[in-house]
Amino acid sequence: MRGSRSFILGLLLAVLAVLAMLAVPVVRAQLEQWQALDLFDLRGGLNTTADTTAVAPNEAADIQNMVLDVSGSVSTREGFTRLTTSAFGSSATATGLAFYKQSGGNRYVVGTLSNGLTDSIRKQDYGGNGLPDGIWDDITPATGVSFPDDTLADFATVQDVLVIEDGVSTTAPVQWTGSGVATAISGSPNASMVEFHKRILWFAGRWDARSRVDFSNLDAYNTYTTTDFILVETDDGQVITGLKSALDCLYVFKTESIWRICGSDRDNLNLEQMVRGIGAASNQSIALINNKFIFQTSQGNFVIYDGGITVQLLSGKIQGTLDALNQDRIAKTVAVAFDDSTGDDDYYACVSDSGSGTHNRVLLFDTYHQAWTKFVGLACNAMAVIEVGTARKAIAFADYIGHLNRYPDGETDAGSIIQAFYQSGDLRVSQVPTQKTFREFQVFMRGEGEGRIAGFRWQVDFGGTTASDTVDLSLAGARWDTAVYDTSAYSDEATVIDLVHVNTVGDFINWRMEANEASSQVRLRGVRLWLEPSGRMGESQ
């Protein structure tokens, strides 16, 4: 009897051993069919020109309120804070903003504001904390200025004096010395833009001579000779839209051409045309970055110009975004160059989307990555780069109720949640040309503050299947001792790796990460997609 039991037990063990030997290759074969698509370089930026199936894996079909990191990840942009304690007025539209620093160290922020029927020039002093004091002090002259909504003002610092042009082509600029109120500049010509170049003050945009550039005497910005002007072509159907000093010459932008004036006094000034067929939409859209101009053209594109004869298109990948803007407000675009700590300035342009009569979008061209992203939530009708503290700089922008704001600063937009997301294109995974089973996403994220990722969504074959998940970024403690497949997530103190199960057959898949919780600064390090081939399209599964 004992022998029979031993025989049966031995037989059972032998059978189990054979079954185990057979199962190992089967399991291994199944696992070896899984393939991983690593998406850890997300620096390609926005692409709204290509069809979603042609958006590269490192590009975004849509992106909002996120910046591109040097490492390849993307992060929620920082917020902004108010530098004013209360709004200047319910209809106080800012039409211009300047940072004014004198050689003795005195600093001011000067703005032009339209408040109903009351047009004014206001200034803010710097306080002991190294910031503007938040109080708009009136420095408006008795007569001679007008600030209609969206008629953009212009500024120039000349021999420690701030010259202020209201942007109206029928008025002359005024001057402010840092005390009292602004005063008229006796005898100065009418203009809508001013520029200080080679110790001469230059004027353009006068209503009765839209292709004429006037200039002051050398080292005497307030002294003029009536014959001191240059005609930059006439009767060509164009007007002067920009005036910028760079590369040892004065560059004159018209609606469909670019010119430059070189020389140091009236006796040796030389005018030459540099570019034909391309011009600037507005003077305020022009920024100088690394000795090159970036600006919006009269056709609404963004280009970079080397100061010679070469103009290159920068906005080729965001045509869909440009098409969705309010085309009637292209001439109102304002822009600044600002260093985001990579060592190179980036280009920030404030624009209006379709149907909006105010600026409600920022298009950011990241010069380090040569890519675009976009912001919402910043109502910036006027912008300037200012000093904060003793050495740091920030973007100051003024809005439509007279607030002066500082960006970047904080984790909210003056207390409002930053709505951020990253949307991929439709990925086909070219190395797996057959129909496939999408198994799961691994999402690698870092939480910079308390909060949650509001959602991670995926969609197969253009809407055929869609689902979402939520990732906890509270980071209360390390969870390496928790079984990964029991909780679908694990983390250390800084990084969460979340598993989002898909298990759906298809050919294309896209994904979207959303972060819209208060005080939730999120860095998306990357995404890994696991999939396996499922056969040719049309085959039954």
Side-chain angles (χ1 to χ4, degrees):
M1 193 71 177
R2 180 178 301 174
S4 298
R5 286 198 300 269
S6 299
F7 174 77
I8 294 172
L9 180 60
L11 181 60
L12 288 174
L13 291 174
V15 170
L16 290 173
V18 172
L19 291 175
M21 293 175 62
L22 292 174
V24 169
V26 172
V27 172
R28 182 181 295 118
Q30 289 177 338
L31 291 176
E32 287 177 351
Q33 290 183 28
W34 283 35
Q35 298 186 28
L37 176 64
D38 278 348
L39 303 169
F40 287 88
D41 183 357
L42 305 176
R43 295 172 293 180
L46 186 63
N47 186 344
T48 57
T49 299
D51 184 84
T52 57
T53 60
V55 172
N58 72 329
E59 295 174 342
D62 201 0
I63 187 172
Q64 177 175 292
N65 286 335
M66 304 204 80
V67 294
L68 314 178
D69 299 328
V70 176
S71 63
S73 57
V74 292
S75 300
T76 310
R77 68 162 173 83
E78 290 189 63
F80 68 84
T81 54
R82 303 284 195 205
L83 290 172
T84 45
T85 56
S86 60
F88 180 69
S90 60
S91 59
T93 298
T95 63
L97 200 64
F99 174 66
Y100 171 37
K101 185 174 183 178
Q102 297 177 322
S103 58
N106 293 330
R107 298 179 292 177
Y108 310 91
V109 172
V110 177
T112 56
L113 296 160
S114 169
N115 189 18
L117 299 177
T118 304
D119 301 319
S120 62
I121 304 175
R122 302 274 167 162
K123 59 91 173 174
Q124 291 191 24
D125 303 298
Y126 267 69
N129 60 355
L131 296 173
D133 62 12
I135 302 172
W136 286 118
D137 302 312
D138 191 6
I139 58 169
T140 311
T143 59
V145 295
S146 176
F147 304 107
D149 290 354
D150 288 331
T151 299
L152 305 179
D154 197 21
F155 305 84
T157 301
V158 184
Q159 298 166 352
D160 255 5
V161 174
L162 183 66
V163 176
I164 306 164
E165 168 50 49
D166 56 19
V168 178
S169 60
T170 58
T171 61
V174 297
Q175 61 187 342
W176 187 57
T177 62
S179 63
V181 299
T183 59
I185 305 175
S186 178
S188 66
N190 293 337
S192 61
M193 62 196 82
V194 290
E195 185 78 348
F196 188 56
H197 169 71
K198 286 201 168 182
R199 297 151 53 196
I200 297 171
L201 184 58
W202 303 76
F203 310 79
R206 56 187 293 167
W207 70 276
D208 56 346
R210 295 298 185 92
S211 292
R212 172 170 158 172
V213 177
D214 293 275
F215 55 92
S216 72
N217 289 358
L218 183 68
D219 290 327
Y221 74 93
N222 52 3
T223 304
Y224 309 91
T225 302
T226 56
T227 56
D228 281 351
F229 63 84
I230 296 174
L231 295 177
V232 184
E233 200 62 77
T234 57
D235 302 325
D236 59 353
Q238 302 181 49
V239 299
I240 294 176
T241 55
L243 209 59
K244 297 296 178 183
S245 173
L247 304 173
D248 205 40
C249 293
L250 180 73
Y251 283 80
V252 182
F253 295 80
K254 300 187 77 174
T255 47
E256 298 289 342
S257 58
I258 305 174
W259 304 69
R260 72 180 180 189
I261 300 171
C262 299
S264 56
D265 60 53
R266 67 167 63 91
D267 297 324
N268 63 11
L269 296 177
N270 179 50
L271 172 70
E272 55 184 335
Q273 184 174 12
M274 307 305 297
V275 175
R276 182 187 297 271
I278 297 176
S282 74
N283 188 45
Q284 280 71 19
S285 80
I286 306 169
L288 190 67
I289 299 177
N290 296 331
N291 286 322
K292 294 182 180 180
F293 298 99
I294 297 181
F295 61 92
Q296 189 174 27
T297 70
S298 299
Q299 292 76 34
N301 298 311
F302 289 91
V303 298
I304 187 168
Y305 169 51
D306 68 355
I309 61 173
T310 304
V311 180
Q312 294 179 303
L313 181 67
L314 291 182
S315 56
K317 288 187 177 182
I318 60 167
Q319 192 58 52
T321 303
L322 299 182
D323 291 342
L325 299 181
N326 185 340
Q327 304 303 310
D328 294 333
R329 288 180 57 81
I330 288 176
K332 313 300 182 185
T333 297
V334 295
V336 295
F338 177 68
D339 184 0
D340 66 348
S341 78
T342 63
D344 292 324
D345 281 346
D346 291 334
Y347 178 79
Y348 293 74
C350 279
V351 296
S352 307
D353 67 359
S354 179
S356 175
T358 59
H359 285 339
N360 59 357
R361 295 286 184 273
V362 174
L363 299 181
L364 166 59
F365 182 72
D366 186 319
T367 58
Y368 184 86
H369 296 106
Q370 297 289 295
W372 291 89
T373 184
K374 92 174 176 293
F375 298 167
V376 301
L378 284 69
C380 41
N381 202 51
M383 288 199 299
V385 176
I386 67 170
E387 290 182 359
V388 291
T390 57
R392 295 178 58 201
K393 293 186 177 181
I395 294 176
F397 69 91
D399 53 29
Y400 298 90
I401 56 175
H403 270 305
L404 183 66
N405 308 283
R406 169 188 173 182
Y407 172 87
D409 190 42
E411 296 181 344
T412 65
D413 286 345
S416 297
I417 295 172
I418 300 173
Q419 304 282 347
F421 64 77
Y422 184 100
Q423 170 77 50
S424 80
D426 288 293
L427 306 172
R428 191 167 189 271
V429 193
S430 58
Q431 64 265 35
V432 185
T434 62
Q435 192 177 35
K436 61 220 68 163
T437 300
F438 299 106
R439 290 301 183 186
E440 63 189 23
F441 286 98
Q442 286 178 285
V443 187
F444 297 75
M445 289 168 291
R446 176 186 175 93
E448 306 292 343
E450 294 183 1
R452 299 172 66 87
I453 290 287
F456 183 91
R457 305 182 191 177
W458 52 268
Q459 189 177 69
V460 171
D461 289 348
F462 318 105
T465 304
T466 184
S468 63
D469 194 7
T470 300
V471 182
D472 187 356
L473 284 183
S474 58
L475 301 180
R479 293 183 290 174
W480 288 107
D481 57 346
T482 303
V484 173
Y485 287 95
D486 289 342
T487 64
S488 293
Y490 57 96
S491 73
D492 61 9
E493 289 293 338
T495 302
V496 168
I497 304 174
D498 190 62
L499 298 178
V500 180
H501 300 291
V502 180
N503 293 322
T504 301
V505 175
D507 197 37
F508 292 88
I509 191 168
N510 65 54
W511 57 273
R512 178 185 176 98
M513 186 280 292
E514 297 179 345
N516 54 20
E517 293 287 335
S519 300
S520 179
Q521 294 291 314
V522 174
R523 175 181 293 178
L524 177 63
R525 294 185 181 276
V527 172
R528 175 174 293 137
L529 172 61
W530 288 97
L531 66 153
E532 64 175 319
S534 299
R536 294 191 301 271
M537 290 294 292
E539 289 185 342
S540 59
Q541 303 301 316

